[in-house]
Amino acid sequence: MALEMARTKPTVVVTRKLPDVVETRMMELFDVQLNINDRAFSQDELAAATGACDVLVPNLTDRIDAALIAQAGPRLKLIANFGNGTDHIDVAAARSKGIAVTNTPGVLTEDTADMAMALMVSVPRRLVEGARMIQAGEFKGWSPTHMLGHRTYGKRLGIIGMGRIGTAVARRAKGFGMAVHYHNRRRLLPELEAEVEATYWESLDQMLARMDVISIHCPHTPATFHLLSERRLKLLKPSAYIINTARGEIVDEEALIRMLEAGELAGAGLDVFEHEPAVNPKLLTMKNVILLPHMGSATIESRINMGEKVIINIRAFCDGHTPPDRVLPT
Ligand code: DGY
């Protein structure tokens, strides 16, 4: 099948608008159906697309579940996801139907780490609240007790998930004078752990109870759904902040909201939500949260690099090679 595709241009369906430079290259290389109007596909439209293409290029807003995969046409051999997270794709169902799945790791690491760090400073320092005050014309002049926040320097940061992004956050946090701690399925190699000066906690519960800030950087899988459950959130100090630039489903959002309302947590910086794109209305009125519309990796550089990765994965696959960013079922 791979060699057949190499002889003719593979038929590729892209479900959302991509940067012009990526789309242009795809036009040169593939028989591609673009979505220049950027209207999200319905489930029926996705089904129609998977019935008639060799390669589907979805993204996190598409639900590529077992039912969709089951009805995919015999030509579909590759799902080349535009994005790192693949929790919206039933990778096991794809594999059992002989469909390969790829993603775009590595190229959005630094931008996502920047966003986590920005939230880590902005929430305790009340940056958005201050900016809104100016815009509302409410700034009446400096005073010693005006807009007091909390210092980042010297605080303990607990990173959950010490992969590429977690490690990039650790490097930044070190520069901000934070003490870095982490919980991960596997401990880092000693050289890397020493470089980022991070303290490993085998027990997530024990780490949570001692941190000033928690930043989430693990993938969303069945094992990490509600990893920060109500029980675990309750282990945190009332002065602690939570930063989530990974996936909303990792935190029990209802429990988080209850605790923020009750003053059992100091604040939260959320770039992702459990029922995205829906945002719980209770969050909208809270002063101690900063909410962002899933823009952790939203730089033009990241998006172009992601597109290049998608192209490389498709090309490698069509040439009969294992694509560099193959995703296997967890
Ligand atoms: C991803 O790639 O999974 C991010 O969440 C979106 O850029």
Side-chain angles (χ1 to χ4, degrees):
M1 181 65 206
L3 294 175
E4 249 170 62
M5 277 197 245
R7 277 195 291 273
T8 54
K9 284 185 174 182
T11 302
V12 177
V13 173
V14 182
T15 67
R16 295 299 290 261
K17 169 92 186 95
L18 301 182
D20 283 355
V21 62
V22 175
E23 291 186 338
T24 306
R25 190 67 187 129
M26 285 184 159
M27 290 288 285
E28 288 165 356
L29 294 171
F30 313 132
D31 178 4
V32 65
Q33 181 190 310
L34 300 173
N35 179 0
I36 51 172
N37 296 320
D38 202 28
R39 189 179 58 78
F41 280 32
S42 66
Q43 247 4 62
D44 284 348
E45 287 166 331
L46 271 179
T50 55
C53 65
D54 302 310
V55 180
L56 182 72
V57 180
N59 64 86
L60 64 91
T61 62
D62 300 310
R63 187 160 43 84
I64 317 290
D65 56 16
L68 189 94
I69 288 165
Q71 61 75 60
R75 283 176 60 184
L76 184 68
K77 288 287 171 247
L78 175 64
I79 298 172
N81 188 53
F82 184 89
N84 197 18
T86 50
D87 50 335
H88 56 292
I89 301 173
D90 192 326
V91 180
R95 186 179 167 88
S96 54
K97 209 176 162 174
I99 302 169
V101 177
T102 59
N103 67 344
T104 62
V107 292
L108 33 78
T109 305
E110 304 303 332
D111 294 328
T112 309
D114 282 348
M115 192 59 91
M117 205 62 227
L119 286 170
M120 225 176 282
V121 177
S122 304
V123 177
R125 292 301 302 274
R126 305 169 64 186
L127 242 66
V128 169
E129 214 186 316
R132 285 205 186 112
M133 177 179 283
I134 292 275
Q135 283 165 344
E138 287 166 4
F139 178 43
K140 304 290 178 238
W142 187 88
S143 94
T145 53
H146 182 231
M147 286 299 292
L148 298 185
H150 288 278
R151 179 182 290 166
T152 301
Y153 183 87
K155 295 287 161 64
R156 288 202 173 92
L157 165 65
I159 295 177
I160 301 178
M162 198 67 149
R164 290 185 190 87
I165 300 175
T167 309
V169 170
R171 290 202 176 93
R172 283 159 177 73
K174 197 178 131 188
F176 274 76
M178 300 181 89
V180 178
H181 296 245
Y182 75 100
H183 169 79
N184 198 38
R185 271 177 309 173
R186 274 185 303 274
R187 189 168 180 168
L188 293 183
L189 292 173
E191 313 83 71
L192 184 53
E193 198 176 85
E195 184 211 315
V196 293
E197 291 172 30
T199 303
Y200 174 64
W201 291 85
E202 193 176 341
S203 159
L204 174 59
D205 288 7
Q206 292 203 13
M207 181 178 88
L208 290 174
R210 293 162 166 87
M211 297 297 118
D212 301 305
V213 183
I214 291 294
S215 193
I216 302 169
H217 300 288
C218 58
H220 168 222
T221 65
T224 63
F225 175 77
H226 281 196
L227 183 68
L228 288 190
S229 58
E230 177 155 31
R231 179 190 71 76
R232 285 217 171 96
L233 288 170
K234 294 241 180 235
L235 298 173
L236 289 161
K237 298 194 274 190
S239 55
Y241 294 91
I242 293 212
I243 308 299
N244 191 0
T245 52
R247 283 293 185 269
E249 291 91 335
I250 299 166
V251 182
D252 179 342
E253 198 173 272
E254 281 293 335
L256 173 71
I257 291 168
R258 276 196 301 277
M259 290 180 65
L260 286 166
E261 280 175 329
E264 290 166 6
L265 280 174
L270 307 175
D271 184 44
V272 289
F273 303 91
E274 189 168 347
H275 305 289
E276 207 171 302
V279 178
N280 189 312
K282 288 183 189 157
L283 284 170
L284 301 178
T285 53
M286 289 182 181
K287 279 195 164 171
N288 53 347
V289 300
I290 293 183
L291 311 174
L292 296 176
H294 200 146
M295 53 192 272
S297 67
T299 65
I300 186 65
E301 292 86 352
S302 257
R303 295 292 181 255
I304 291 173
N305 293 165
M306 289 161 78
E308 280 162 358
K309 282 221 147 217
V310 168
I311 291 170
I312 290 166
N313 281 315
I314 297 174
R315 279 301 288 253
F317 182 80
C318 293
D319 286 346
H321 305 292
T322 301
D325 305 308
R326 178 115 199 232
V327 178
L328 296 172
T330 43

